[in-house]
Amino acid sequence: MSTLSIVVSLLLLMFLAYRGYTVLLLAPLMAALAVILSGDMVLLLPIYTETFMRALGNYILAFFPVFLLGALFGQLMADSGAATAIAKWIERTLGAKHAILTVVLACAILTYGGVSLFVVAFAIYPIAKSLFQDADIPKRLVAPAIALGSFTFTMTALPGTPAIQNAIPIKFYGTNTFAAPGLGVIGSLIIFALGMLWLRSRERAARAQGEGYGIHADTLEAKGQVGEADMRGDAQRSMPLVLALLPLVLVIGINALFTYGVFPGMHWDFLAERFATMDANKQTGMWALIIALVLSCATLVLLGLGRWANLQQTINKGVLGSMLPIFNTASEVGYGAVIASLAGFAIIRDAVLNVSSNPLISEAVAMNVLAGITGSSSGGLSIALQTLGADYLKMAVDAGISPDLMHRVAVMSAGVFDTLPHCGAIITLLSICGLTHRQSYLNIAMMTIVMPLIALAAVIALGTAFGSF
């Protein structure tokens, strides 16, 4: 009965999230339903306060700086005109005939540099719409092009990406954002190459059938997306290209400098007196990312001195824009903690752990299942690692598998089935582009599910054969 209660609550969570209900309310309600159906109603309130809220609070405690600084950095990039400058430069370099490639690269550069995927979608859509109109490419391909550049390899595979997904495994595996760099690059190239081949084939097929951009009631209205950046009115702001690229270079460069240069040479004995239970070596990956984002945000503020339309509004919008994403994800983590506390979860856990003798395959299955159920890569990844992270680390050590390889496989796995139709990011992207699931979802799924799944299989095969590199 306990296992059935988990399945029922998960299905309801997925269905109601697809219908647009916020997980801030759904997560505790579905957790409560699972507890009641499992026969533990008398423990409902203690489980809520001691399990759900404790897990939610611990997640915010661990990752709040990354969410806040990432959202602020993205807003500063957008409102300073840096994002527009980069997109326009790519457009001038490649030309209108390469509209799809221009959009993919612009999104990839911005997201790899630390700009929130929601901010990137808002910032790039007006440019993408213009490019696709000029090239007479069907508008339904705009959303898949943005998805390929924003939701895939720069979020999960490229080493050093400051995306929250790439930071989550750090505290569980003691790794850093550059884990398994060679495999990450290979996975990224597979996703990018296959994605571009698919989009270009769809473009050619549309031309052969005489289908062009079409007539659409274009709008930038994103219905009901509270707390996400609204980029209307900012598309004309710009800055010199070198200055626009500098903050992105700093995010990656400073992160790498502290990860590989500064922190490895430091001795942390002086922390033992005040932080006796802390393992500094497991925190340095997060510290490096925080330092990189802080310095890059400060650089953007200084670069725009005298040019900001309203710096206070930009800062406030960026900071407030981080609230909904982190609380959504933290609520999903709280839900996962409650599910993990139920007796029926032991059956599910054992089934996942025993799906393969290869820890990489077992981990990939767990991340995909939970990311698909929650409709969130960060949410599914967090739930899986909160409940199974210690088991997977032990399995990896016993099998002689590097934690770096486990890190990269976990992150790439969470970025596959997270974009099922009920995914909030997909719903938001379609809303921004003024498109429907019927028009664009099949091509989006090819970009965000099929191509990443092929890349994941390749990384697991290479990692099993040659180890982490």
Side-chain angles (χ1 to χ4, degrees), residues 91 95-107 124-148 196 199-200 202-203 206-207 211-216 218 433 435 440 443:
E91 176 187 357
K97 67 178 181 178
H98 295 294
I100 292 177
L101 181 59
T102 296
V103 171
V104 172
L105 290 179
C107 292
I124 295 301
Y125 172 66
I127 300 167
K129 179 179 70 171
S130 175
L131 286 170
F132 276 54
Q133 282 178 319
D134 292 344
D136 201 28
I137 299 172
K139 185 189 175 186
R140 59 186 173 82
L141 296 179
V142 171
I146 293 176
L148 176 59
M196 283 302 305
L199 290 176
R200 291 302 301 272
R202 296 304 88 202
E203 178 190 356
R207 292 191 188 283
E211 180 186 2
Y213 183 82
I215 299 174
H216 305 272
D218 290 315
C433 296
L435 295 165
S440 289
N443 288 305

Side-chain angles (χ1 to χ4, degrees), residues 226-237:
V226 181
E228 289 159 10
D230 184 349
M231 298 309 305
R232 286 171 291 179
D234 292 324
Q236 301 305 317
R237 264 182 231 158

Side-chain angles (χ1 to χ4, degrees), residues 112 152-154 156-160 178-195 405 408 412 451-469:
Y112 186 57
T152 59
F153 59 96
T154 57
T156 63
L158 272 180
F178 292 91
L183 289 169
V185 170
I186 291 172
S188 298
L189 291 174
I190 292 172
I191 296 171
F192 173 75
L194 293 179
L405 179 55
R408 187 56 54 210
M412 290 184 65
M451 307 313 178
L453 188 60
I454 295 172
L456 174 63
V459 167
I460 291 176
L462 290 171
T464 301
F466 302 107
S468 179
F469 61 89

Side-chain angles (χ1 to χ4, degrees), residues 75-76 79-80 300-311 314:
Q75 196 66 51
L76 290 169
D79 289 359
S80 67
L300 270 168
V301 171
L302 292 175
L303 289 175
L305 285 180
R307 300 173 54 250
W308 289 105
N310 190 329
L311 180 58
T314 293

Side-chain angles (χ1 to χ4, degrees), residues 76-426:
L76 290 169
M77 282 290 295
D79 289 359
S80 67
T84 300
I86 293 170
K88 289 293 186 183
W89 168 68
I90 297 174
E91 176 187 357
R92 291 192 302 271
T93 303
L94 298 178
K97 67 178 181 178
H98 295 294
I100 292 177
L101 181 59
T102 296
V103 171
V104 172
L105 290 179
C107 292
I109 290 171
L110 292 173
T111 49
Y112 186 57
V115 183
S116 161
L117 59 89
F118 291 113
V119 175
V120 169
F122 275 109
I124 295 301
Y125 172 66
I127 300 167
K129 179 179 70 171
S130 175
L131 286 170
F132 276 54
Q133 282 178 319
D134 292 344
D136 201 28
I137 299 172
K139 185 189 175 186
R140 59 186 173 82
L141 296 179
V142 171
I146 293 176
L148 176 59
S150 303
F151 296 6
T152 59
F153 59 96
T154 57
M155 185 178 78
T156 63
L158 272 180
T161 176
I164 185 62
Q165 291 82 356
N166 198 34
I168 289 172
I170 291 174
K171 77 168 189 173
F172 299 98
Y173 293 152
T175 50
N176 59 61
T177 57
F178 292 91
L183 289 169
V185 170
I186 291 172
S188 298
L189 291 174
I190 292 172
I191 296 171
F192 173 75
L194 293 179
M196 283 302 305
L197 286 173
W198 177 267
L199 290 176
R200 291 302 301 272
S201 72
R202 296 304 88 202
E203 178 190 356
R204 288 193 297 271
R207 292 191 188 283
Q209 296 172 5
E211 180 186 2
Y213 183 82
I215 299 174
H216 305 272
D218 290 315
T219 175
L220 283 175
E221 293 293 331
K223 300 176 183 177
Q225 301 301 324
V226 181
E228 289 159 10
D230 184 349
M231 298 309 305
R232 286 171 291 179
D234 292 324
Q236 301 305 317
R237 264 182 231 158
S238 190
M239 66 164 55
L241 177 63
V242 173
L243 297 183
L245 289 171
L246 178 61
L248 304 183
V249 173
L250 287 177
V251 169
I252 304 302
I254 293 173
N255 188 3
L257 174 65
F258 277 87
T259 297
Y260 293 113
V262 177
F263 287 149
M266 294 184 66
H267 299 284
W268 304 103
D269 298 342
F270 67 95
L271 295 175
E273 184 176 345
R274 292 194 61 181
F275 306 100
T277 60
M278 184 185 73
D279 184 351
N281 292 317
K282 289 188 176 181
Q283 297 291 335
T284 53
M286 187 67 69
W287 293 345
L289 183 56
I290 291 172
I291 292 170
L293 287 170
V294 167
L295 294 178
S296 299
C297 286
T299 300
L300 270 168
V301 171
L302 292 175
L303 289 175
L305 285 180
R307 300 173 54 250
W308 289 105
N310 190 329
L311 180 58
Q312 180 186 23
Q313 182 180 1
T314 293
I315 291 174
N316 289 345
K317 187 185 291 185
V319 170
L320 293 175
S322 70
M323 297 297 110
L324 186 65
I326 190 170
F327 275 97
N328 275 341
T329 306
S331 292
E332 291 169 342
V333 171
Y335 170 82
V338 173
I339 295 301
S341 71
L342 300 179
F345 183 76
I347 298 173
I348 298 174
R349 181 195 62 208
D350 292 343
V352 170
L353 289 174
N354 296 323
V355 72
S356 172
S357 59
N358 186 335
L360 297 174
I361 296 176
S362 176
E363 181 185 52
V365 171
M367 304 302 162
N368 270 297
V369 168
L370 288 168
I373 289 169
T374 60
S376 166
S377 55
S378 56
L381 183 61
S382 299
I383 292 171
L385 290 178
Q386 290 279 1
T387 55
L388 300 172
D391 292 317
Y392 282 128
L393 184 58
K394 183 180 184 301
M395 289 170 65
V397 172
D398 292 343
I401 296 175
S402 166
D404 284 349
L405 179 55
M406 296 293 289
H407 175 127
R408 187 56 54 210
V409 168
V411 178
M412 290 184 65
S413 301
V416 178
F417 285 108
D418 62 315
T419 48
L420 292 174
H422 65 291
C423 170
I426 296 300

